[in-house]
Amino acid sequence: MLSQSMVTDEKFFLNRRKFLGLGAGALALGASYEAQALFGLGGSNDIPLNWKEDPSMSLYPVAKNPLFNVFLDEVTAEEEAARYNNFYEFGSHKEIFQAAQELKIRPWTVEVSGEVGNPKIWDIDELLSGMDLEERIYRHRCVEAWSMVVPWTGFGLRQLMEKSDVLSSAKYVKFTSFMDPKTAPGQRQSWYPWPYVEGLTIEEAAHELTFMVTGVYGHPLPKQHGAPLRLATPWKYGFKSSKSIDKIEFTSERPVSFWEQIQPKEYGFWANVNPGVPHPRWPQNMERVLGKDTYRPTEMFNGYGEMVAGLYTNLEDQMLYR
Ligand SMILES: Nc1nc2c(c(=O)[nH]1)N[C@H]1C(S)=C(S)[C@@H](COP(=O)(O)O)O[C@H]1N2
Ligand SMILES: [Mo]
């Protein structure tokens, strides 16, 4: 269960470091990035970054949008981000980068449906070539209290909404991730409500921060980051950022997201970052900086408050911060 692993994440991390400190366990630790650093196993050559065979390779790198690099945060090392993932389809732990290489990302279609004038099943490469791609450096704050700073490449969801002619009857957007238990062992664990589903209000969907991610660090997205298409909503907890999306539905009804189905008191629909509202089982005021041994204070709306606070006026009755 996620709830369990969320509790143990911090402890597990510290225990592993202690374990390493005893000088044992290079084998048991496998390819963990802590082991890489301590035993010098590394170099990026053994990180499975499948983008080398990705047919969209020639689209990268793209121009940076400097508007979205306002924090001057230190960008997380690519190796750190590529080795420490949440992708429950491939396991309920962080080291899924090998397992995720089984995901087949071509052919891949993205079905846009529901309350739209132009429903369409997009071939991913047609979709990518029709969009204005840009690079944005975004913060990412996981509900488990770790964070990273990542240069994503992608396009504003708003671009796709315009092409799809979203109708005024659409109040929400629902993202559905791929379903393929043959390649994704986590999906054979039938107690999870597969496939992974997430949603936003139509106002959130149209917000300029809402980014459909197709690449990272100047190249196509590796599978462990949710190739070939994922979401980034940096003012919300990371579980809102669905990976490997193959359906986008505009609807009049609020979707029930994956974690909300599992544990609605702990993981809600809104999930906006707020350091003052603890998770029921741990505080949210600090975050561990991925790849470092340092912590930093968590910021309201993960630092994006000026841009997004207006989305939540008159919604005080909602569970906005879980
Ligand atoms: N389909 C799917 N999307 C997902 C998840 C998942 O398990 N399955 N985990 C979420 C969580 S909890 C986080 S923190 C981010 C992690 O993204 P990253 O591994 O690329 O850093 O993906 C989110 N998107
Ligand atoms: Mo997360």
Side-chain angles (χ1 to χ4, degrees), residues 28 61 63 128 140 142 160 260 297 315:
L128 295 182
H140 176 100
C142 177
L160 181 59
E260 193 182 5
L315 287 170

Side-chain angles (χ1 to χ4, degrees), residues 78-129:
E78 177 169 16
E79 291 81 0
E80 307 287 354
R83 287 181 175 285
Y84 189 86
N85 303 97
N86 271 329
F87 204 168
Y88 272 61
E89 285 86 337
F90 294 100
S92 55
H93 51 85
K94 298 292 181 280
E95 287 175 21
I96 55 75
F97 59 86
Q98 288 288 2
Q101 304 314 310
E102 293 302 311
L103 181 65
K104 211 169 153 250
I105 56 169
R106 292 293 187 290
W108 190 279
T109 55
V110 180
E111 180 181 358
V112 178
S113 67
E115 309 288 318
V116 291
N118 180 28
K120 183 174 161 105
I121 298 177
W122 292 84
D123 173 74
I124 188 68
D125 292 303
E126 185 197 354
L127 181 69
L128 295 182
S129 60

